[in-house]
Amino acid sequence: MKINSRQELEELAALYKKALECQKKQILICSETACVASGSLEIYDKMQEIMKEKNIDCVVKLEKDPHEGVGVKKSGCHGFCEMAPLIRIEPGGLLYTKVKPEDCEEIVEKTILHDEIIDRLIYRDNTGNPYIHIDEIPFYAKQTRIALEHSGKIDSESIEEYIAIGGYSAMAKALFDMTPEGIVDEITKASLRGRGGGGFPTGKKWSQVLRQEEEEKYVVCNGDEGDPGAFMDRSMMEGDSHKVIEGMIIAGIATKAHHGYIYVRAEYPLAVERLKMAIESAEEAGLLGENILGSGFDFDLQISQGAGAFVCGEGSALTASIEGNRGMPRVKPPRTVEKGLFQKPTVLNNVETYCNVPPIILKGADWYAQFGPENSHGTKAFALTGNVNNTGLIEVPMGTKLKDVIFDIGGGVKGGKFKAVQIGGPSGGCLCITPTVDHLDMHLDFDSLKKIGAMIGSGGLVVMDDTNCMVEVARFFMNFTQNESCGKCVPCREGTKRMLEILTDITEGRGTLEDLDKLEELAEMISATALCGLGKTAASPVVSSLKYFRDEFIAHVVDKKCPAGQCKALVNFRIDPDQCVGCTKCARNCPVNAISGEVKKPHSIDVTKCIKCGACMENCNFHAISQG
């Protein structure tokens, strides 16, 4: 299949669209990493097997010749990870949750053949209310999908289905109807800002590369995504690879660049596999490579796999890694737009940014501007994790309130009371509720968060309840950052090490009030003098935790207590003699024999032997054991 012109692309799209519409049913089986881990590929194989047994025409690959049948597809992420594995059935948007291979025959027999709903597979909220159709489920109802618009709706491995829904038409428009300057102006007018963390205006970056007189330029996609708990870019690469590619080609047209690299961590094997398939199929179709659609424009694309270093999310470290060098940031200027990959002008954006480009080119900047506040137009994808009922991948308009994300989309806090959200990963900060602060009405956009010292980052949202210790949370992120420091500059290498030592002392009962002052001094020094953006934001989780939860730090250093009961060194278990009946169950389950006492008489704990594992309290049926 070689497409030689825009007209041929449009004709082929019409044929594929008609073939897609002829499928009387479509079974979209979520096949991104989380669902695959839950057994979705077994469901995919089982569906085909059952249809073959029942002599049902099973369509696994879209062909140009339309014929009725049932499409069985490996779709991208449906988002609702809490309910995996997921199956979406079209038409109608029916969603089945927690599907097992043994459910497949019933799904085929009842739903596919007779349009019956299988009650036990539909989603129910915490109160038991049933939801049959995906758009009615609260998790999806307040979402607006632009970057993720196709994920979960088409075959993630099919260029034919991508073309059928209008794929590569934005590229064709950019090639034949727009000038490079016109493309840059449209992206600028749309106020698209980089979704990788810093929120730098994409149009401004592209215009800087376009102005460079060098003939050789590069377009680079950052798919490294190293934040703990973040999986937005991974899901887009797995579920909508062609959209990433199309966005990169448009960036190449806009900046007169002819070479592209997608930098993906090797820890994302499925994303790498899907990207390779997409690149090969696009090349075969003439949508990548030389003389794309007969326009005279050339663009080639390669995948570069990283080893998973967090610092390689920084632009100059990322380009150094692609070049085969150790991924370490360099002093700037010159900037990446002037001397980036192989010392040539380079456009560098993350996966989500490129996924926003095709719809902007197709529908225009004015359409895009209807989402989000001024200077933060569009939507943002978040990985919603932690102590929340509905975990998963979401996309909401910029400026959406935090409470809407947690309580409407997320379904509220699981088993506790909302305390805080860590936003932006190791480079971000806390949004929280305290006696003096309530961030639940905070708007999630670049400028609003910047005002309170937080940032969207790549889009991690980790929800915490009242059982989470904020001192330990700060120590966890500092431990991550310190381990991931490349070590090139002293402030980051030594400063984060010292901050980690202090935080460890505080969580283990050796902290002092002077240590709190030292943390703030070190944080200020590192932020002011570190070489790269990752180092400059390394102390952010500590700074925000100290700002909003200083009383917890003081309890650790003055009272030598952890209010949340999470820091083992500061927790002591005791047995209430009035509640203890002497059943001996706690003693029998203590791994270090720290509990003694006679049968039917109150027991006691030897604190010098106790390792504070909590097994005694877990096994006490009479609530006689407490911690404090």
Side-chain angles (χ1 to χ4, degrees):
M1 179 183 69
K2 179 81 170 181
I3 308 172
N4 297 303
S5 67
R6 183 182 192 179
Q7 183 179 350
E8 286 186 18
L9 175 64
E10 291 171 350
E11 290 172 353
L12 195 62
L15 288 173
Y16 282 136
K17 182 180 179 182
K18 188 174 181 180
L20 196 59
E21 290 171 347
C22 277
Q23 293 177 9
K24 57 183 180 182
K25 286 281 195 306
Q26 295 179 43
I27 303 174
L28 296 147
I29 302 165
C30 180
S31 299
E32 62 86 49
T33 295
C35 280
V36 168
S38 300
S40 65
L41 294 185
E42 289 88 341
I43 294 169
Y44 176 78
D45 293 338
K46 188 70 174 176
M47 279 291 183
Q48 294 180 66
E49 179 187 319
I50 291 169
M51 290 194 184
K52 187 176 180 180
E53 291 173 357
K54 294 181 179 292
N55 293 317
I56 300 171
D57 186 2
C58 179
V59 182
V60 294
K61 181 175 174 57
L62 190 66
E63 304 287 351
K64 285 185 284 187
D65 299 325
H67 65 281
E68 285 195 0
V70 176
V72 179
K73 310 166 188 216
K74 295 178 184 176
S75 79
C77 181
H78 294 211
F80 209 171
C81 302
E82 185 81 15
M83 296 289 123
L86 296 156
I87 289 181
R88 178 175 182 152
I89 298 175
E90 295 290 351
L94 171 64
L95 185 71
Y96 283 151
T97 63
K98 298 187 177 181
V99 180
K100 299 175 183 176
E102 50 266 35
D103 297 320
C104 292
E105 184 159 3
E106 188 178 2
I107 291 172
V108 172
E109 185 63 37
K110 290 186 177 180
T111 304
I112 302 304
L113 294 180
H114 298 99
D115 291 321
E116 296 177 18
I117 306 297
I118 302 172
D119 189 66
R120 61 186 168 79
L121 294 179
I122 63 173
Y123 170 73
R124 282 178 166 75
D125 63 19
N126 293 335
T127 62
N129 291 326
Y131 295 88
I132 296 174
H133 302 291
I134 193 167
D135 293 336
E136 299 169 350
I137 298 172
F139 178 81
Y140 294 100
K142 285 202 172 182
Q143 293 193 47
T144 300
R145 294 193 161 205
I146 296 176
L148 291 165
E149 63 180 324
H150 304 139
S151 195
K153 294 183 178 181
I154 63 171
D155 189 330
S156 59
E157 298 181 352
S158 172
I159 189 173
E160 293 83 7
E161 290 209 13
Y162 186 68
I163 291 173
I165 60 169
Y168 291 107
S169 58
M171 178 193 74
K173 181 179 179 181
L175 279 171
F176 296 104
D177 298 343
M178 304 176 77
T179 63
E181 293 79 8
I183 298 169
V184 171
D185 287 345
E186 198 69 20
I187 296 298
T188 302
K189 185 180 176 184
S191 294
L192 175 63
R193 295 170 66 170
R195 299 304 199 246
F200 190 82
T202 304
K204 185 176 181 179
K205 183 181 291 187
W206 289 16
S207 68
Q208 290 171 339
V209 175
L210 177 60
R211 288 200 303 266
Q212 303 301 314
E213 295 182 0
E214 292 256 17
E215 285 191 16
E216 189 173 3
K217 301 175 184 178
Y218 291 91
V219 174
V220 176
C221 176
N222 180 358
D224 189 58
E225 192 173 48
D227 289 10
F231 51 91
M232 299 76 59
D233 288 351
R234 186 202 75 204
S235 296
M236 292 175 200
M237 290 185 286
E238 292 174 357
D240 208 356
S241 304
H242 286 285
K243 193 176 186 186
V244 181
I245 293 170
E246 186 175 10
M248 292 184 69
I249 297 172
I250 293 170
I253 300 167
T255 57
K256 299 181 181 179
H258 301 286
H259 309 286
Y261 282 85
I262 304 178
Y263 187 81
V264 191
R265 53 179 47 216
E267 298 160 334
Y268 286 177
L270 185 57
V272 172
E273 178 188 337
R274 297 254 170 94
L275 285 168
K276 284 181 177 177
M277 291 172 61
I279 290 171
E280 288 172 6
S281 60
E283 288 173 342
E284 290 172 6
L287 300 171
L288 258 182
E290 296 180 0
N291 193 24
I292 297 173
L293 295 180
S295 65
F297 180 77
D298 304 336
F299 191 83
D300 59 72
L301 191 56
Q302 299 180 53
I303 296 172
S304 178
Q305 294 187 53
F310 181 66
V311 73
C312 285
E314 194 275 339
S316 59
L318 185 152
T319 54
S321 180
I322 293 176
E323 293 166 358
N325 301 313
R326 183 179 174 188
M328 300 176 78
R330 59 168 170 77
V331 177
K332 305 173 194 66
R335 300 284 176 182
T336 304
V337 294
E338 299 157 346
K339 291 188 181 295
L341 187 61
F342 304 120
Q343 297 301 300
K344 301 296 181 182
T346 301
V347 167
L348 174 58
N349 290 115
N350 85 319
V351 173
E352 186 180 350
T353 308
Y354 286 120
C355 283
N356 276 278
V357 170
I360 291 174
I361 296 302
L362 272 181
K363 300 177 183 179
D366 291 338
W367 164 82
Y368 195 71
Q370 69 181 300
F371 307 103
E374 187 178 1
N375 298 324
S376 287
H377 291 160
T379 58
K380 181 70 188 82
F382 291 98
L384 186 60
T385 59
N387 296 326
V388 63
N389 285 303
N390 301 333
T391 60
L393 178 65
I394 69 170
E395 185 177 358
V396 295
M398 282 282 189
T400 298
K401 290 185 177 182
L402 178 63
K403 66 181 180 183
D404 293 337
V405 171
I406 296 174
F407 295 101
D408 293 341
I409 297 173
V413 177
K414 184 190 296 183
K417 188 177 179 181
F418 173 73
K419 184 175 187 178
V421 163
Q422 177 67 22
I423 185 168
S427 300
C430 290
L431 303 178
C432 56
I433 286 183
T434 71
T436 58
V437 174
D438 185 348
H439 286 149
L440 281 177
D441 283 318
M442 176 61 61
H443 295 274
L444 300 180
D445 61 74
F446 294 110
D447 298 330
S448 297
L449 292 178
K450 186 178 180 180
K451 289 176 183 177
I452 62 165
M455 65 185 296
I456 284 180
S458 62
L461 268 180
V462 184
V463 180
M464 291 169 280
D465 64 15
D466 49 7
T467 65
N468 289 105
C469 171
M470 299 309 296
V471 183
E472 171 55 27
V473 168
R475 191 207 64 80
F476 168 83
F477 280 107
M478 185 52 63
N479 181 60
F480 176 87
T481 304
Q482 207 283 317
N483 285 337
E484 294 290 340
S485 172
C486 74
K488 185 172 183 178
C489 73
V490 173
C492 184
R493 183 183 69 238
E494 299 300 327
T496 57
K497 181 180 179 181
R498 182 66 187 119
M499 288 187 76
L500 177 60
E501 289 171 351
I502 293 172
L503 287 166
T504 301
D505 282 346
I506 293 173
T507 58
E508 293 182 357
R510 299 185 297 273
T512 65
L513 284 173
E514 289 74 19
D515 284 336
L516 305 188
D517 296 329
K518 290 178 185 176
L519 284 174
E520 291 175 329
E521 290 171 9
L522 284 165
E524 185 177 349
M525 180 273 295
I526 296 169
S527 299
T529 59
L531 176 62
C532 75
L534 298 181
K536 288 180 181 298
T537 57
S540 296
V542 181
V543 172
S544 63
S545 296
L546 268 170
K547 180 179 180 180
Y548 298 121
F549 296 98
R550 197 174 190 89
D551 57 332
E552 285 196 31
F553 282 82
I554 291 173
H556 280 67
V557 299
V558 175
D559 302 327
K560 303 302 179 186
K561 289 184 178 181
C562 174
Q566 296 297 306
C567 299
K568 286 187 177 181
L570 301 179
V571 172
N572 286 313
F573 290 90
R574 62 178 296 275
I575 298 176
D576 184 346
D578 295 330
Q579 297 293 324
C580 181
V581 299
C583 70
T584 75
K585 190 175 181 181
C586 59
R588 286 183 277 119
N589 283 279
C590 179
V592 292
N593 298 318
I595 301 176
S596 59
E598 298 179 23
V599 177
K600 296 185 179 181
K601 290 185 179 180
H603 284 46
S604 61
I605 300 174
D606 186 341
V607 294
T608 62
K609 292 183 179 179
C610 178
I611 60 172
K612 303 171 184 181
C613 64
C616 55
M617 193 161 69
E618 291 174 8
N619 284 280
C620 181
N621 296 327
F622 300 94
H623 307 292
I625 303 177
S626 60
Q627 64 181 36

